[in-house]
Amino acid sequence: MRWRLPVGLAVLVTLVVIVAAVLTTSSSRSSDLGRRAGRAGVLRATAPNLPTDISIAAGTVGRPIKPGFLGFSFEFSAVRTYTGSDPAHVNPVLVQLMRELTPGQAPVLRIGGDSTDASWVPALGVTPPPGGTYPLTPSWFATTAALARELGARLILGINLAGNQPALAAAEAQADVSAFGSTAIEAFEIGNEPNIYGKIDTYRTPAGARRKVRPKTYDFKRFLGEFEGESAALPPLALAGPALAAGPTPSRGSWIGSLSSFIDQLPRLSTVTLHRYPLRNCDVPPASAQYPTIAHLLTGFATTGLADSIKRYIAIAHAHHRLVRLDELNSVACRGKSGVSDTFASALWVVDALFALARDGVDGVNLHTLPGAAYELFQFSRVDGSWRASVRPVYYGLMMFARAAPPGSRLLHITGQRLDGVNVWATRAHDGRVRVTLINKNPLASHTIRLSPPRGVSGPATVQRLEAPSVSAKRGVTLGGAGFGSQTSSGRLPSARTQPVRAEHRAYTLTLPAASAALITFERPQS
């Protein structure tokens, strides 16, 4: 369970790039984050004084974190940029970077996004759909299948709904089964964000006019009919959907009122899927809490507010005994924002956001990555036939979460004093080992924390730190003192350096620098 921020908390993040300052906004209670996020205030830069006491209780919160909780989301058109074109020699750096975040697990790879409704499989009886700009070739299937085999991945595969052709959907799904095998397919996800089909342009006519996927009158009833028509043409495997674009507040356009009906009418539906970004790089004014700035990314609106905004979807899905997966997530919608999505702030954001989502009951999350987007997790190049990767700051935050919340972990209750900008999470793993994650999103103030573990937990404890030169840094990020450098040819992070945490009377004391995070690991309790 997250240790909540106090009422009236507000944030001023001052960033000096050349001679610039950014004014932030914040929120107070997680249930009031969206409404209050526009109120500006100050996080004071105070020197550490008396330690702040935080206690970890033995009681657990929410569901266990499932294997495959942390997954990936690729666009159809992006896969071969990452894998390369030779199925016999799939990019080994990509494979290793994905394994680093899912050790000992079968990662869940969702292939979809906007390209779901632009992709199609050329086949007998299939008419290329309007806007079908990306035909899925045998070569595409070969390299994608090679990646899935290397990882032992479970696949959520988008199926074109924009074309509204059951024959097209059937051809695509049959090609999926032939290439990947039915046992590797977690589910077919039909369509992409159909609740905004009436608002988005997807193709141009030969005369150059822009056309929308559906008319403005397109509604849930029409969607359900199309979804049922396509699902009947697919092989009898599990379905995921409705792949809704979710916003800060569920409203009429979110189709949340129809979600129960959708589930009831589709017994093959195994997973309810949603897409969510806390900030947007399109269609929002600077005064909006969703406007992409580092300051906004570091507010509770972007983390606990993000999780709170989908609680109703989670409750409906679980009441119907379905999983719920946020299978498209990243910091800023519309391809991210340079100077926000690609900074160290994104690493601090993603650790906090993933814990908040796990606490509120999300069964899995897929981080969306797209070549050329500001929120990309990694970027690849080839030099003399050898692959190299530049690893973005957000990846380090994902790695910290993966270490802090291994599969089977349960979140623990947090009690104690409150601090401006500091969030605390704790987990207990299957083996009894307790891990505590402290995140200081305040770029101005460091804090001294005195931490009391649950009863029965004592003895040695160590800390790994997530750090960077500044909250706006794009390079120089380290986890446990180790980093990938400007490029990596292996995808392996050097061994982390840990430091002991000083203990006195069962309380462990450490300093948490401004704009940093720390992972404290307690050894297994003695039997």
Side-chain angles (χ1 to χ4, degrees):
M1 181 178 183
R2 193 188 73 88
W3 173 51
R4 292 194 168 186
L5 301 178
V7 176
L9 172 64
V11 182
L12 174 63
V13 179
T14 302
L15 305 169
V16 178
V17 179
I18 299 178
V19 279
V22 179
L23 182 65
T24 187
T25 61
S26 184
S27 55
S28 53
R29 300 183 188 273
S30 60
S31 60
D32 200 27
L33 287 166
R35 179 171 58 83
R36 299 170 65 95
R39 298 183 181 180
V42 174
L43 275 176
R44 294 175 177 81
T46 56
N49 41 42
L50 295 176
T52 299
D53 291 311
I54 305 296
S55 296
I56 313 300
T60 59
V61 179
R63 298 181 168 200
I65 294 172
K66 297 177 180 294
F69 176 90
L70 181 56
F72 306 85
S73 174
F74 292 173
E75 295 280 348
F76 282 89
S77 53
V79 173
R80 283 160 65 86
T81 303
Y82 291 141
T83 63
S85 59
D86 184 356
H89 299 92
V90 169
N91 178 357
V93 186
L94 168 68
V95 171
Q96 185 58 40
L97 286 171
M98 295 176 74
R99 285 176 174 160
E100 288 278 323
L101 298 185
T102 55
Q105 304 165 62
V108 178
L109 172 59
R110 177 253 186 171
I111 303 177
D114 290 342
S115 57
T116 292
D117 287 323
S119 302
W120 59 291
V121 173
L124 187 65
V126 171
T127 302
T133 57
Y134 195 76
L136 301 176
T137 64
S139 181
W140 183 91
F141 280 105
T143 51
T144 307
L147 174 65
R149 286 193 301 270
E150 286 271 357
L151 294 168
R154 301 282 298 169
L155 302 171
I156 298 176
L157 299 167
I159 298 290
N160 188 310
L161 180 65
N164 193 21
Q165 296 182 52
L168 182 150
E172 187 173 356
Q174 290 290 355
D176 288 338
V177 173
S178 296
F180 308 123
S182 58
T183 57
I185 298 174
E186 184 86 5
F188 293 120
E189 186 177 44
I190 301 174
N192 183 71
E193 302 180 357
N195 57 318
I196 59 171
Y197 272 6
K199 301 178 182 179
I200 56 175
D201 298 323
T202 59
Y203 69 98
R204 292 180 181 272
T205 66
R210 299 187 69 87
R211 289 289 183 266
K212 297 188 183 300
V213 180
R214 298 289 188 275
K216 290 183 178 180
T217 55
Y218 187 74
D219 58 12
F220 171 78
K221 184 177 180 180
R222 282 192 59 185
F223 161 71
L224 180 60
E226 294 174 359
F227 192 102
E228 289 181 318
E230 290 209 356
S231 65
L234 303 183
L237 299 178
L239 302 176
L244 297 177
T249 304
S251 59
R252 182 178 179 183
S254 69
W255 290 358
I256 192 168
S258 302
L259 186 57
S260 288
S261 175
F262 177 76
I263 298 171
D264 284 339
Q265 296 185 58
L266 295 163
R268 287 169 58 192
L269 187 82
S270 64
T271 306
V272 171
T273 55
L274 307 168
H275 304 165
R276 187 77 171 86
Y277 296 78
L279 309 181
R280 295 182 58 81
N281 196 27
C282 54
D283 305 324
V284 293
S288 170
Q290 290 187 277
Y291 191 78
T293 65
I294 286 178
H296 287 170
L297 190 61
L298 295 178
T299 62
F301 174 79
T303 53
T304 53
L306 173 85
D308 288 349
S309 71
I310 61 171
K311 276 185 175 180
R312 288 175 60 195
Y313 299 95
I314 297 168
I316 293 168
H318 287 171
H320 288 76
H321 309 291
R322 301 302 201 275
L323 300 176
V324 59
R325 194 165 187 100
L326 200 61
D327 71 346
E328 185 175 319
L329 169 73
N330 214 306
S331 56
V332 182
C334 307
R335 301 178 68 90
K337 175 70 173 178
S338 181
V340 179
S341 303
D342 52 357
T343 69
F344 183 58
S346 68
L348 299 176
W349 162 76
V350 81
V351 180
D352 202 25
L354 290 175
F355 272 117
L357 291 164
R359 177 205 59 190
D360 284 357
V362 170
D363 296 294
V365 173
N366 294 75
L367 266 291
H368 197 57
T369 185
L370 177 65
Y375 56 55
E376 193 172 11
L377 306 185
F378 27 57
Q379 189 174 41
F380 296 98
S381 60
R382 295 190 77 174
V383 179
D384 296 329
S386 297
W387 287 94
R388 296 181 182 179
S390 297
V391 178
R392 299 290 178 84
V394 67
Y395 181 94
Y396 290 85
L398 296 173
M399 181 170 280
M400 177 173 234
F401 177 84
R403 293 179 178 181
S409 296
R410 301 290 298 269
L411 291 171
L412 302 177
H413 282 285
I414 308 292
T415 61
Q417 296 170 256
R418 300 171 176 178
L419 280 171
D420 287 353
V422 176
N423 293 340
V424 182
W425 302 91
T427 63
R428 185 190 294 274
H430 269 316
D431 62 4
R433 185 173 281 124
V434 170
R435 297 174 174 87
V436 181
T437 304
L438 303 101
I439 309 161
N440 185 2
K441 295 187 288 185
N442 187 328
L444 304 175
S446 61
H447 296 283
T448 299
I449 308 292
R450 186 163 53 207
L451 188 69
S452 297
R455 291 188 178 276
V457 177
S458 60
T462 57
V463 61
Q464 298 178 40
R465 296 185 182 273
L466 178 62
E467 298 176 303
S470 72
V471 76
S472 61
K474 297 183 179 182
R475 297 179 179 84
V477 182
T478 57
L479 176 58
F484 290 102
S486 59
Q487 287 191 323
T488 174
S489 58
S490 69
R492 296 180 184 275
L493 190 70
S495 297
R497 296 195 300 270
T498 60
Q499 300 171 325
V501 184
R502 181 168 59 88
E504 184 177 352
H505 305 300
R506 290 197 69 255
Y508 295 75
T509 303
L510 82 161
T511 298
L512 190 62
S516 72
L519 170 59
I520 302 173
T521 301
F522 294 90
E523 294 303 316
R524 300 176 191 174
Q526 300 297 316
S527 58

